[in-house]
Amino acid sequence: MPRNFKITIAYDGTDFCGWQVQPSHASIQGTLADAIERITTRRLLPQGSGRTDAGVHALAQVASFALESVIPAENLQVALNHILPASIRINAVEEVQADFHARHSAVAKTYEYRIFRQSICPPFLARYAYHHPFPLDEEAMMRASEFVIGEHDFSSFAAVDPERGKEEQETENVRTIYSSEWRLDGDLLAYRIRGNGFLHHMVRNLVGTFLLVGKGSLRSDSIPTILAARRRSEAGPTAPASGLFLVSVEY
Amino acid sequence: MPRNFKITIAYDGTDFCGWQVQPSHASIQGTLADAIERITTRRLLPQGSGRTDAGVHALAQVASFALESVIPAENLQVALNHILPASIRINAVEEVQADFHARHSAVAKTYEYRIFRQSICPPFLARYAYHHPFPLDEEAMMRASEFVIGEHDFSSFAAVDPERGKEEQETENVRTIYSSEWRLDGDLLAYRIRGNGFLHHMVRNLVGTFLLVGKGSLRSDSIPTILAARRRSEAGPTAPASGLFLVSVEY
């Protein structure tokens, strides 16, 4: 009987092509698969709670995989951290019920987007924030962010996903957002959003739209209209990947 | 008449071969020279307060150069930060007296070495610390660090410098250390040293030796004997570059 494992992973996404394995590019998923294979001689692909794009970071991504092995969970964690590059850390390994699946079992996720506000961004923060030193109406952004709380069709904030059919994209873009909030934290302006699921690029598209509000190009109360339009072209641009962190996944 | 400029630079040294320009490797000095040339069309080599090695960081390295240009200092700073990679930031540009030289005019420097002590190092810190999660007698390290305060011949802590003759190396390794101190700062154990000058690898060799004291392989009061020996082989190994920061240069 294979055992089912749940691993919790932090990573600096800067030097990776994203979560998903790709030929001839270093991905988080592929790098994990290589490390698991070196330890156990088994080739498998850990299933993430969801993909993160190139340059996006994770404080606690979750992945699961079935493994025919007697290795204790703690030894697997130590061995993985020994083999993996320092840019990927396994913060927990647990043996879980056979029906646990990192993506299917997830009930909520939290993301954070970090914007550095001072005129010069320290080199030690540049990989982990979006540098935007220009004036922003932060209160308008805070007001705008409240409009996405609740159940909405987020088509206007979703990248077109080539893996999903047109019909699926038009019918399955409803998500529930439990909290959506900007806060000032020293030189960082941070946006935190928690919801039952997120479409591709959804957080970065929301942030790009809130930035338009902050710059005064869009009114904060235009968010409901953008949501209702269900058209990507109604919303703002996709904010850069470097500012985005997957904070946690709930089960 | 060329004008003389002093620039203050922060950098993440991870992806550079060090301060000094090298053929076919990205150096801080060479990257700065390229940026200055793009702005002013003049090819010159900024003179640093001293070299930093590959992987060593700077919070406030200082460099100087003479430039025949009418560009205001502030515009030069903005233009440099626009062109330079985010891993190098110019925090100040000042026009200074013709006799100012970043290396010759320096009267004191401060370095800090950062050791991350928890068992798992977050990927966002891995580039900016040395990960050492094993037990250390921190009080013994603190006692050991006090023995280097004052004027000493630091030959035992100096890498052999191929650019200096044997005679020079044997006679000119005396430096004065004004302060030398370990402190605990959350999960970081940090060593800060201020002196009138530093030999090649000196801070990392001191840290490597203090780590031997922390591990119990060396007594803290053996530092005077190591100094007196004036032989590199008497001291500990060179600590990894990632933990080292040039904090400031005084003039």
Side-chain angles (χ1 to χ4, degrees):
Chain A
M1 263 297 278
R3 295 151 70 205
N4 198 23
F5 286 96
K6 173 191 180 194
I7 61 175
T8 308
I9 315 144
Y11 48 82
D12 172 350
T14 312
D15 298 329
F16 294 93
C17 66
W19 167 264
Q20 195 172 35
V21 71
Q22 280 187 30
S24 72
H25 283 95
S27 65
I28 308 290
Q29 191 182 33
T31 305
L32 284 170
D34 293 345
I36 292 169
E37 185 176 7
R38 263 191 65 189
I39 296 164
T40 66
T41 72
R42 310 279 168 153
R43 186 68 193 178
L44 55 86
L45 217 46
Q47 296 301 305
S49 73
R51 287 177 256 163
T52 53
D53 288 314
V56 173
H57 315 292
L59 300 180
Q61 166 71 292
V62 173
S64 58
F65 53 87
L67 180 66
E68 196 101 45
S69 166
V70 296
I71 189 169
E74 200 186 313
N75 295 19
L76 181 58
Q77 182 184 1
V78 170
L80 283 171
N81 280 332
H82 188 71
I83 288 175
L84 288 165
S87 49
I88 305 179
R89 290 293 90 184
I90 308 298
N91 285 323
V93 175
E94 297 160 73
E95 197 172 340
V96 287
Q97 299 285 325
D99 62 352
F100 178 87
H101 185 285
R103 186 170 75 252
H104 304 146
S105 310
V107 295
K109 278 189 196 177
T110 300
Y111 282 93
E112 183 165 292
Y113 196 92
R114 299 179 184 170
I115 301 177
F116 187 77
R117 301 288 293 126
Q118 290 297 309
S119 62
I120 299 175
C121 183
F124 317 102
L125 269 183
R127 298 161 67 94
Y128 313 120
Y130 167 46
H131 184 211
H132 186 89
F134 312 108
L136 288 174
D137 182 343
E138 288 148 0
E139 291 192 13
M141 294 168 72
M142 290 175 195
R143 283 195 303 276
S145 67
E146 291 170 15
F147 286 105
V148 301
I149 296 171
E151 188 179 88
H152 302 283
D153 183 316
F154 283 96
S155 298
S156 294
F157 296 96
V160 176
D161 187 337
E163 287 186 17
R164 300 173 72 202
K166 190 167 187 292
E167 198 169 317
E168 190 188 357
Q169 297 202 23
E170 284 182 356
T171 55
E172 301 194 1
N173 287 340
V174 174
R175 296 290 183 277
T176 301
I177 298 304
Y178 306 121
S179 64
S180 163
E181 195 175 21
W182 286 95
R183 72 173 198 284
L184 263 171
D185 181 7
D187 295 331
L188 288 175
L189 177 63
Y191 174 65
R192 196 174 265 242
I193 184 168
R194 179 170 168 267
N196 69 348
F198 292 87
L199 305 167
H200 190 212
H201 279 183
M202 178 169 149
V203 182
R204 290 163 62 190
N205 290 342
L206 284 167
V207 169
T209 307
F210 296 144
L211 281 167
L212 289 186
V213 171
K215 291 169 190 170
S217 332
L218 202 67
R219 290 165 48 113
S220 56
D221 59 8
S222 56
I223 302 294
T225 317
I226 295 173
L227 282 167
R230 303 178 66 238
R231 264 198 313 277
R232 177 68 192 95
S233 57
E234 296 294 307
T238 309
S242 61
L244 187 60
F245 290 74
L246 171 56
V247 171
S248 62
V249 188
E250 292 163 61
Y251 293 94
Chain B
M1 264 297 279
R3 295 150 72 204
N4 199 22
F5 285 96
K6 173 191 178 194
I7 61 175
T8 308
I9 315 144
Y11 48 82
D12 172 349
T14 312
D15 298 330
F16 294 94
C17 66
W19 167 264
Q20 195 173 35
V21 71
Q22 280 186 31
S24 72
H25 283 96
S27 65
I28 309 290
Q29 190 182 34
T31 305
L32 285 169
D34 293 346
I36 293 168
E37 186 175 8
R38 264 192 64 186
I39 297 164
T40 66
T41 74
R42 311 279 168 151
R43 185 69 193 176
L44 56 85
L45 217 45
Q47 297 299 305
S49 73
R51 289 178 253 161
T52 53
D53 288 315
V56 172
H57 315 291
L59 301 180
Q61 166 72 291
V62 174
S64 59
F65 53 87
L67 180 67
E68 199 99 46
S69 167
V70 296
I71 188 169
E74 198 185 312
N75 296 18
L76 182 57
Q77 181 184 1
V78 170
L80 282 171
N81 281 332
H82 188 70
I83 288 174
L84 287 166
S87 49
I88 305 179
R89 291 293 89 184
I90 308 297
N91 285 324
V93 175
E94 299 160 72
E95 197 172 341
V96 288
Q97 299 284 325
D99 62 353
F100 177 87
H101 185 283
R103 187 170 74 251
H104 303 145
S105 309
V107 295
K109 277 189 197 176
T110 300
Y111 282 93
E112 184 165 292
Y113 195 92
R114 298 180 185 170
I115 300 177
F116 186 77
R117 301 288 292 126
Q118 290 298 308
S119 61
I120 299 175
C121 184
F124 318 101
L125 270 183
R127 298 161 67 93
Y128 312 120
Y130 166 45
H131 184 211
H132 186 87
F134 311 107
L136 288 173
D137 181 343
E138 288 149 0
E139 291 193 10
M141 294 169 72
M142 290 174 192
R143 285 195 302 276
S145 68
E146 291 172 13
F147 287 106
V148 302
I149 296 170
E151 189 180 87
H152 302 283
D153 183 316
F154 283 96
S155 298
S156 295
F157 296 96
V160 176
D161 186 338
E163 288 186 18
R164 300 172 74 202
K166 190 168 186 292
E167 200 169 317
E168 191 187 356
Q169 299 205 18
E170 284 180 355
T171 56
E172 298 194 2
N173 288 340
V174 174
R175 297 290 183 279
T176 301
I177 299 305
Y178 307 121
S179 63
S180 163
E181 194 175 22
W182 287 95
R183 72 173 197 283
L184 262 172
D185 181 5
D187 295 331
L188 288 175
L189 176 65
Y191 174 65
R192 197 173 264 242
I193 184 167
R194 179 171 169 266
N196 69 348
F198 291 87
L199 305 167
H200 189 211
H201 278 183
M202 180 169 146
V203 183
R204 289 164 62 190
N205 291 342
L206 284 167
V207 169
T209 307
F210 296 144
L211 280 168
L212 289 185
V213 172
K215 291 169 192 170
S217 336
L218 203 66
R219 289 164 50 112
S220 55
D221 59 7
S222 56
I223 302 295
T225 316
I226 296 173
L227 283 167
R230 303 177 67 237
R231 264 197 314 277
R232 177 68 191 94
S233 58
E234 296 293 309
T238 309
S242 61
L244 187 60
F245 291 74
L246 171 57
V247 171
S248 63
V249 187
E250 293 164 59
Y251 293 94

